[in-house]
Amino acid sequence: MSSAVPVELYRTIERANACAKAAALEAAPAASFGVRRLSPADFVAELWELWGDGRALVSADERKVLVAALLREFAAEARLSDSPGTVALIARFVSNVGCLLEGQALDETSFTARERGVLALAAQYCERLRGAGLVEPEQAAALLSDAVASGEVPSPCVSVVDAIEAGAGLDRLLRALGCSPKPDAFVLPTLAEGVEPALVMPAGPTALAGLLLDEITEAVSAGETTLLVVSPAPDRLFESLAGPLSAAGVSSALRCSRPFEETLTGCALAAVADIDGPHGVAAATDFAYNRLSGVPGRDAQRLNREIREDRTFEGAAIAEKLRFLSPTFSEFQRIAEACAGAEDIRAAEDALRALDVLAKWVKGADALTFAEKAREAAALAKAQGLLAACVRTGAGGCDIASLLASASVPVQVLAAAEGSATVEFASLDRLDSLVPRSYDEVIVADCSQDAFPAKADRTALDGLTEKLGYARPADEFERERRRFAAAMGAAKARFTLGISQRDEKGEETYPAFLLSEFSDALTQSHPPQSALAGKGADAGYSEFDDAAFGLPVALSRCARRGGEEALVGGIGQSFAALCGKEEVPGVARGCLRQLNLADFLKKAPGPDGPVAVLSASAIESYLSCPYGWFLKNRLRPEAPDEQFGPAEKGGFVHRVLARLYDGLAAEGVARVDEGNLAACEGRLDAVFDECLAEQRRERPGSGRLVARSKSEKVEVERLRGQLHTTLRRLATMAPAYRVHGHEVAVAPEDGIDYAGFRLNGRADRVDVDAEDGRFAIIDYKGSVGSDYAAAMREGDEEVPLPGRIQADVYAQALRRRLTDLHCAGALYLSYSAKRRAGSLVGAADATYDDGGLLGASSRVPLNFEAYLDAVEELAAARLAGLLRGEIAPSPRSSAACRFCPALDCERRLS
């Protein structure tokens, strides 16, 4: 860099280049070559390249990986947490002041233990930096300032054009060169002459896009060709407006950043990293459906169904399938392994080669648009930068995945149209690079406090920085003023503010502090007697509208406003005027208008025609809540995932107990009692292990019980203990009864009806007292409650309909098969109940010997078969509504709602 060429410093290199271009266009062709226009970072880099000590300036990626590697080693010793947030804080500290402390003697007694840990980590960082042949830019600037002061480095002519955020080292260098980076206090200026202020004020965010479209359309019609819309979420506005603008012949461009973890690359890496974890199936599905996987849609669906239906699929098997289906999985796997903190640098080198392969694949991917290719290329480059930094610095073992999760990726998209007008949608960071009079209209779409916060951006290490004698960064309020002023100055014809009256949560919006300062600037530039030019407003700028956030009345009266009337266009993003309407009947939950529900029920032949078939569980479900029955039994909104839950545990318990008792019966053992209990418990363990070994060989989706995780295996062993407890209780229950059968089938062809429906199902267990000619139904349950009991008291004249009715249904049905026996009980036995008393509930007559397991609420104080008849009569009255298509929500208790999929039901009780 020649010391004879003047240098001007700007906030960003984009602004420096734009100013150079503007100077070249406005001046004589040779005039623009007389000044060097640079950002502070580029200025230091050029000086250091010429006059430095041979070390290279450390990049942001190299700084992050070095700090991350140090934290992994010394976080506990330094009393710091090893997290991406801590990496960012320490990286900012060592970048600004940490390396300026190198070689200084500090009084450690003045620092807290955690501050001493940070300083020790900074010292380690400086040592690693020097060992890698690197130097921090602020440290390089400080060294250059000493060289300028001693005359070793010629002093260029430097002027600071913008307010720049100079660290301690750059501040020293600029002062050595005779200029100060600290500008005077900044006051918001007035709008340039000829620039018209405007206001867009929707009632809420939904109406904003439509109002902006009206504003842009009117501006283009008036001859404006360059418009800038800045917003905290420009991608949302771009997605809403690019289509309508393109249809109108207006091009749209998007410049913003997006979190790395929201890109296809970020999602694919996260999915691959999770495949070996507890959510491996979901991760594999996510990867297969990701367009970077290269897996065809049908194959992705097939894989999704196959691995979700089978719990035996685990990480290695899933990975093997993906490796076969996806042309990119192996590359993503290598990258994920390196990003997870591989100690060997060769893993990072291997990942860099995989990234090159992926970059070529993305470039030729037909499934991606041009904009998507650009975004994914930037995401791959972000991962490449961090991994390459690991290789260059030798910083193995750092968690690159966490650093990527907190990173962002630049996004640039162009939706070209035939017309000459272009609208650029950009994030608020774009304001730092604006130059005066560069757009016909500038729209600041969000002027709320959230967009321009009125709070100091202090970090946990700012106090330490001040203790060390270094100033904090520039005033945040002044920085926001300068950004807002840059937006004002960039407008040539119109400057538009946007602010919604309510935010997305429906809460009142708080305006940015800049709005009141903007109002003051407008008031000062417009004498009280003037009115808004060209709008016919009769109120001046000295009057303010409290309903418009205190802005001048002249501005609020001409504001574009939108409320509920803009809802339809805003949601549909058609933004067209309504041309008509069509009334449709309102949706009523639980009402079938055109379908006859009875037509969709299975039928069996009956003496008077076809009879609808229902299982005992379906009968119980409908009686609990007709709408819940309709959802669970007819619509069946179930995921294909094979579960490890109550249903699977219950099925396993049924199998174990049935096989145990069937085996005992085959050996002539009529029942388990105190005399043979020990031997039967040994037999139980053998049967349990036998059934458990069979589970993985069972067909996926058959209801098998497959334990994968350590905690699930613990649950299986807990189930073993519960069955031992249950067996000991059964040994004392109803000593006169013997097990007659398990899984006793009642098929439609048996012709057994209940409450007007043909019964189909299986009774868990039937016990028979042959001497007294009685039988009882035992239904195994994981847990039981009060709704399982008959709930009758002595003297009750009316029989209530129980909350649970399956055992009653099978008891009544088997009365019609076991005609020489009388029913004595319809009971539910909990195999997980901790207490003996109350582990058996349901309905039983007064003579049933329960062995102390049955509660008083389960005793029926009348003839038991009359009780069963009364329950069937009550059930029939309610079930008649099913044939009429009555499925409105009507839960009998909170238990009916506990597992109902209708989470938003207005009748929900739990």
Side-chain angles (χ1 to χ4, degrees):
M1 179 188 297
S2 171
S3 60
V5 178
V7 177
E8 292 181 354
L9 297 184
Y10 293 83
R11 279 191 299 273
T12 65
I13 191 61
E14 292 87 354
R15 179 165 159 77
N17 292 338
C19 288
K21 181 179 178 180
L25 293 174
E26 293 178 6
S32 62
F33 294 101
V35 179
R36 294 274 289 147
R37 295 175 173 85
L38 300 169
S39 68
D42 292 315
F43 174 63
V44 172
E46 288 195 9
L47 275 182
W48 185 255
E49 186 176 3
L50 289 173
W51 306 103
D53 59 12
R55 289 181 288 172
L57 295 181
V58 67
S59 68
D61 287 340
E62 290 168 335
R63 182 185 301 118
K64 283 181 181 178
V65 298
L66 281 169
V67 170
L70 282 168
L71 267 176
R72 188 180 184 191
E73 292 180 48
F74 302 109
E77 182 181 331
R79 299 186 180 182
L80 299 170
S81 65
D82 183 6
S83 68
T86 307
V87 170
L89 280 176
I90 299 294
R92 176 174 171 176
F93 176 77
V94 297
S95 169
N96 291 336
V97 300
C99 288
L100 298 177
L101 305 174
E102 191 175 18
Q104 293 187 28
L106 299 174
D107 179 12
E108 293 193 357
T109 60
S110 60
F111 302 107
T112 66
R114 188 159 292 175
E115 287 173 340
R116 288 195 295 273
V118 171
L119 292 172
L121 202 68
Q124 288 276 356
Y125 172 77
C126 292
E127 186 178 327
R128 298 265 178 106
L129 206 63
R130 185 174 289 278
L134 299 171
V135 63
E136 278 289 346
E138 287 295 331
Q139 188 179 19
L143 293 172
L144 287 170
S145 70
D146 295 339
V148 168
S150 65
E152 297 175 33
V153 174
S155 177
C157 177
V158 179
S159 60
V160 179
V161 178
D162 290 339
I164 60 176
E165 296 182 8
L170 180 60
D171 184 79
R172 281 170 55 182
L173 175 58
L174 293 177
R175 292 185 187 280
L177 295 172
C179 60
S180 171
K182 302 295 183 185
D184 296 332
F186 185 78
V187 177
L188 208 63
T190 61
L191 285 171
E193 186 175 352
V195 178
E196 178 185 11
L199 178 64
V200 172
M201 196 167 67
T206 303
L208 176 62
L211 296 181
L212 290 181
L213 181 62
D214 293 342
E215 175 69 24
I216 293 168
T217 302
E218 183 177 304
V220 172
S221 300
E224 296 181 9
T225 58
T226 56
L227 296 90
L228 173 66
V229 180
V230 291
S231 164
D235 49 340
R236 293 186 190 175
L237 292 176
F238 178 82
E239 290 168 3
S240 297
L241 298 179
L245 287 174
S246 181
V250 179
S251 300
S252 303
L254 173 64
R255 289 182 54 171
C256 66
S257 60
R258 180 164 291 179
F260 177 87
E261 59 187 0
E262 292 181 7
T263 65
L264 294 175
T265 300
C267 293
L269 275 177
V272 170
D274 285 345
I275 282 176
D276 284 328
H279 305 293
V281 171
T285 298
D286 288 344
F287 180 81
Y289 282 116
N290 189 308
R291 281 176 291 160
L292 294 192
S293 73
V295 178
R298 279 185 171 276
D299 289 345
Q301 292 175 358
R302 194 177 297 113
L303 175 71
N304 173 51
R305 182 176 63 252
E306 185 178 349
I307 63 177
R308 290 176 67 182
E309 286 180 345
D310 188 351
R311 297 191 93 242
T312 61
F313 267 113
E314 296 180 344
I318 293 173
E320 189 60 36
K321 276 195 167 290
L322 286 171
R323 201 172 290 113
F324 174 76
L325 291 172
S326 168
T328 62
F329 178 78
S330 295
E331 276 66 41
F332 275 113
Q333 198 172 34
R334 283 194 283 272
I335 298 165
E337 288 170 0
C339 289
E343 295 286 351
D344 194 343
I345 292 298
R346 286 176 297 183
E349 294 171 343
D350 193 26
L352 287 172
R353 288 189 288 271
L355 282 164
D356 288 336
V357 173
L358 282 177
K360 293 176 183 176
W361 190 90
V362 166
K363 191 174 181 180
D366 295 333
L368 301 178
T369 65
F370 178 79
E372 289 171 334
K373 289 180 180 181
R375 182 191 66 206
E376 297 312 314
L380 291 169
K382 175 64 69 175
Q384 196 168 33
L386 287 168
L387 287 166
C390 286
V391 173
R392 289 194 300 270
T393 60
C398 59
D399 187 359
I400 299 297
S402 295
L403 298 181
L404 284 172
S406 59
S408 58
V409 173
V411 176
Q412 294 193 24
V413 182
L414 175 64
E418 296 179 355
S420 59
T422 299
V423 181
E424 179 185 331
F425 296 88
S427 60
L428 296 174
D429 290 339
R430 181 77 176 93
L431 300 178
D432 289 323
S433 302
L434 295 180
V435 296
R437 300 183 62 76
S438 50
Y439 293 90
D440 291 326
E441 180 172 355
V442 174
I443 302 172
V444 182
D446 187 352
C447 292
S448 68
Q449 182 175 282
D450 290 338
F452 296 92
K455 61 181 181 180
D457 183 23
R458 289 189 66 89
T459 73
L461 293 181
D462 284 341
L464 176 58
T465 301
E466 291 168 355
K467 271 188 183 181
L468 293 168
Y470 295 99
R472 288 187 63 249
D475 178 18
E476 290 80 7
F477 294 93
E478 188 160 308
R479 180 174 183 268
E480 299 298 347
R481 286 191 189 97
R482 292 184 183 276
R483 282 156 58 102
F484 195 82
M488 295 168 62
K492 290 189 283 188
R494 190 171 172 90
F495 178 67
T496 302
L497 303 178
I499 182 168
S500 299
Q501 292 176 301
R502 294 192 175 275
D503 61 20
E504 291 182 344
K505 297 179 181 178
E507 298 176 357
E508 186 177 347
T509 300
Y510 290 94
F513 70 96
L514 293 164
L515 276 189
S516 62
E517 295 186 12
F518 180 70
S519 295
D520 294 341
L522 282 179
T523 302
Q524 292 172 13
S525 61
H526 292 76
Q529 68 274 14
S530 72
L532 186 62
K535 292 291 183 180
D538 31 27
Y541 284 87
S542 58
E543 299 177 38
F544 302 96
D545 186 352
D546 292 337
F549 305 102
L551 289 167
V553 171
L555 195 60
S556 69
R557 282 189 175 178
C558 303
R560 294 186 188 275
R561 300 174 186 267
E564 292 182 359
E565 71 282 357
L567 183 63
V568 175
I571 290 178
Q573 296 184 5
S574 60
F575 307 109
L578 295 177
C579 57
K581 66 178 182 178
E582 181 179 344
E583 292 188 10
V584 296
V587 176
R589 190 190 301 276
C591 178
L592 296 176
R593 288 196 174 91
Q594 298 180 350
L595 300 177
N596 181 10
L597 183 59
D599 293 340
F600 295 88
L601 297 176
K602 182 180 177 181
K603 302 293 194 303
D608 300 320
V611 181
V613 177
L614 287 180
S615 66
S617 60
I619 291 173
E620 180 179 278
S621 178
Y622 184 86
L623 296 177
S624 295
C625 177
Y627 190 64
W629 165 83
F630 180 71
L631 291 180
K632 290 181 285 188
N633 290 68
R634 304 312 305 167
L635 298 185
R636 298 190 181 102
E638 299 171 353
D641 304 79
E642 189 173 37
Q643 301 291 336
F644 182 87
E648 289 72 27
K649 293 176 185 175
F652 179 73
V653 166
H654 283 61
R655 173 181 289 201
V656 170
L657 291 177
R659 186 171 299 182
L660 171 67
Y661 277 97
D662 288 347
L664 292 174
E667 296 172 6
V669 179
R671 65 169 282 121
V672 178
D673 55 28
E674 295 290 348
N676 61 14
L677 179 59
C680 290
E681 286 201 74
R683 181 67 174 270
L684 172 63
D685 281 326
V687 171
F688 189 97
D689 292 335
E690 180 183 302
C691 291
L692 188 62
E694 293 172 356
Q695 296 300 292
R696 284 183 174 267
R697 299 193 296 270
E698 293 287 328
R699 178 180 55 81
S702 61
R704 61 184 183 165
L705 184 71
V706 176
R708 293 178 55 188
S709 66
K710 184 177 179 180
S711 61
E712 288 177 348
K713 292 173 182 176
V714 169
E715 285 190 56
V716 170
E717 287 306 308
R718 184 182 300 121
L719 199 59
R720 183 197 298 271
Q722 290 170 344
L723 287 183
H724 274 279
T725 301
T726 300
L727 193 64
R728 288 191 287 271
R729 290 172 181 170
L730 286 169
T732 62
M733 185 183 83
Y737 285 77
R738 304 291 183 267
V739 177
H740 177 74
H742 274 91
E743 301 297 323
V744 178
V746 180
E749 53 268 24
D750 295 337
I752 298 177
D753 292 345
Y754 184 88
F757 290 83
R758 182 63 49 83
L759 193 59
N760 180 34
R762 290 176 179 273
D764 289 353
R765 170 171 163 171
V766 180
D767 286 2
V768 171
D769 178 356
E771 185 175 339
D772 281 352
R774 299 154 67 81
F775 76 92
I777 299 294
I778 308 295
D779 197 347
Y780 300 126
K781 296 293 182 184
S783 60
V784 294
S786 58
D787 56 330
Y788 285 81
M792 290 191 70
R793 293 175 297 183
E794 193 69 40
D796 285 351
E797 296 182 0
E798 294 186 3
V799 173
L801 183 64
R804 304 289 181 154
I805 198 176
Q806 284 190 55
D808 301 78
V809 172
Y810 285 121
Q812 187 75 325
L814 290 179
R815 281 180 61 201
R816 292 154 189 165
R817 177 184 294 177
L818 306 175
T819 54
D820 56 339
L821 299 175
H822 296 284
C823 187
L827 300 164
Y828 305 91
L829 177 67
S830 170
Y831 55 80
S832 65
K834 294 181 179 179
R835 309 178 95 183
R836 177 182 176 82
S839 59
L840 186 69
V841 296
D845 69 8
T847 64
Y848 183 79
D849 185 357
D850 59 282
L853 304 179
L854 197 65
S857 60
S858 296
R859 292 292 184 184
V860 175
L862 68 153
N863 178 277
F864 193 72
E865 294 184 339
Y867 165 80
L868 292 176
D869 291 338
V871 169
E872 181 177 10
E873 187 177 339
L874 292 170
R878 289 176 177 265
L879 286 167
L882 190 155
L883 296 176
R884 295 192 295 268
E886 295 175 4
I887 54 170
S890 181
R892 295 184 60 211
S893 68
S894 60
C897 302
R898 194 169 299 139
F899 301 107
C900 180
L903 300 180
D904 61 339
C905 179
E906 66 277 4
R907 296 291 305 278
R908 194 173 185 88
L909 300 177
S910 66

